[in-house]
Amino acid sequence: MGLPMALVDVDQALSGRWRAYENEVDLIRIQDPPTDTWPRLREAGFLPKPQVVMWRTEALDSEEKYLAALSGKDRYDIRSAYRKAKEADLLVSTEQLTGPLLTEFLELYERQVSGMRNGWAVAVQQSASILAEAETYCAVTVRSRDALVGACLNQDLPTNNEMRARFSAVTPGQRSGSLSRVLYCETLREARLRERRWVTLGRDINLYGHVGNAGLFSFKSRLGFVAVPGQLVEPGSGSHQADRVVRFAELADPTLLLSYPSVAGEEAAVAAPLWLNIFTASEELDARPFQGVGLAGTTVRTVSPV
């Protein structure tokens, strides 16, 4: 299902005329609001934010340093994921991306996306461009005998000093074993071998509750990745928006978005840590599972039924 949304201008947002749509849509949005209007939009309940966020962390020079920065529970979950993979006799390796491997991956990826509430098979749409740049990719693969049960397509970007995890997928039977943790930790290991400073988990639409869910936010945070505006990593990636969540017909409860902090100027806002906003209809939501790293702060916002 698509997301019911109303696009309004700044005058409609500030005057309250946006309320004509609140019984019909889940989200009210201003696209590319001028930066000098951001303070007034915040006062009116609209949150200026980057359109997309990218998740990144430093590879550091050893796995020990990376793990030491995580909580004890998160270190345990990573080690448990590796232990389960070993007990299941899974073969973890790194391969050069080829046409046959991409085809194999896309079959796995499409099965995973088809099981999502609002899945979007982006990798399928971009398969031609991925294959055209195959020499820049390495793939972390996990196989059970000859069957591919998990993979992460990573693009090596030496000019950015970065390894970017573009797309990943695992079989339904491997999700309970947290095989994705193995994929991303192996991506970090490959980045260290290539002496890349940064590892990024690609880009997300900055709204967790529709295509991406709140659990995805928590998972990436618990791996030590920090959400930053897309344009900070990749200039020209996305634009500015100002959003207000008004109901949960197609959006999940809770829905999360990351807004710019209240600082002066566009450049300062993009460079500053983002602020997590949690929208919910519940007055008793436990926000602790959504405490990400590197955030300016967290606000829980109750959305009253209309």
Side-chain angles (χ1 to χ4, degrees), residues 22 41 54 104 106 151:
E22 67 178 332
L41 288 172
M54 299 189 77
E104 195 176 10
L106 290 176

Side-chain angles (χ1 to χ4, degrees), residues 1-290:
M1 295 289 290
L3 176 62
M5 178 195 309
L7 290 174
V8 301
D9 59 29
V10 171
D11 288 341
Q12 289 173 302
L14 296 179
S15 68
R17 283 181 285 142
W18 63 269
R19 292 191 179 278
Y21 307 105
E22 67 178 332
N23 292 311
E24 304 171 12
V25 300
D26 285 17
L27 187 75
I28 311 292
R29 170 169 293 168
I30 306 109
Q31 184 66 41
D32 294 312
T35 55
D36 62 355
T37 67
W38 290 5
R40 286 178 291 155
L41 288 172
R42 287 190 187 95
E43 291 176 1
F46 289 84
L47 300 172
K49 70 180 185 73
Q51 178 182 358
V52 297
V53 294
M54 299 189 77
W55 292 83
R56 72 175 183 181
T57 190
E58 291 195 68
L60 303 177
D61 56 12
S62 71
E63 184 174 337
E64 290 72 23
K65 285 186 179 179
Y66 164 70
L67 291 173
L70 304 180
S71 73
K73 173 67 164 59
D74 295 331
R75 288 195 297 274
Y76 172 83
D77 286 344
I78 288 171
R79 288 167 178 149
S80 176
Y82 273 97
R83 184 178 67 253
K84 290 176 181 177
K86 182 177 180 180
E87 291 171 351
D89 290 325
L90 300 182
L91 175 63
V92 181
S93 60
T94 301
E95 307 176 36
Q96 180 64 42
L97 183 62
T98 62
L101 178 55
L102 179 59
T103 298
E104 195 176 10
F105 169 78
L106 290 176
E107 291 175 357
L108 181 66
Y109 175 83
E110 284 191 281
R111 287 200 301 271
Q112 177 172 297
V113 172
S114 67
M116 298 177 179
R117 181 169 176 253
N118 292 294
W120 180 20
V122 180
V124 176
Q125 295 178 356
Q126 297 182 7
S127 58
S129 62
I130 294 170
L131 191 58
E133 299 178 328
E135 72 280 358
T136 69
Y137 280 82
C138 64
V140 175
T141 60
V142 182
R143 299 182 182 277
S144 177
R145 298 183 174 87
D146 293 330
L148 187 70
V149 296
C152 183
L153 305 188
N154 301 308
Q155 190 170 25
D156 188 22
L157 302 169
T159 57
N160 296 353
N161 204 10
E162 173 195 359
M163 178 74 73
R164 184 173 300 179
R166 293 287 310 278
F167 302 102
S168 68
V170 297
T171 61
Q174 293 299 330
R175 289 177 202 167
S176 60
S178 299
L179 190 60
S180 292
R181 288 184 171 85
V182 175
L183 294 177
Y184 293 137
C185 287
E186 290 299 309
T187 295
L188 280 159
R189 182 172 296 169
E190 185 66 22
R192 292 186 200 105
L193 289 173
R194 298 182 184 219
E195 298 185 336
R196 305 295 179 243
R197 177 182 178 185
W198 299 104
V199 174
T200 60
L201 300 188
R203 68 171 70 95
D204 287 345
I205 296 170
N206 185 8
L207 187 71
Y208 295 90
H210 189 241
V211 176
N213 58 38
L216 178 64
F217 173 92
S218 298
F219 175 76
K220 292 183 176 182
S221 292
R222 290 184 59 193
L223 284 174
F225 286 77
V226 178
V228 299
Q231 52 270 60
L232 188 66
V233 177
E234 191 175 65
S237 175
S239 58
H240 304 306
Q241 300 170 331
D243 286 358
R244 179 169 182 151
V245 174
V246 294
R247 69 172 192 180
F248 300 106
E250 288 299 325
L251 284 176
D253 183 357
T255 284
L256 282 56
L257 67 81
L258 294 145
S259 62
Y260 293 120
S262 299
V263 296
E266 177 183 9
E267 185 175 347
V270 170
L274 293 169
W275 193 281
L276 174 62
N277 301 271
I278 305 173
F279 293 89
T280 178
S282 172
E283 296 183 355
E284 300 180 354
L285 177 77
D286 183 1
R288 287 176 295 180
F290 308 109

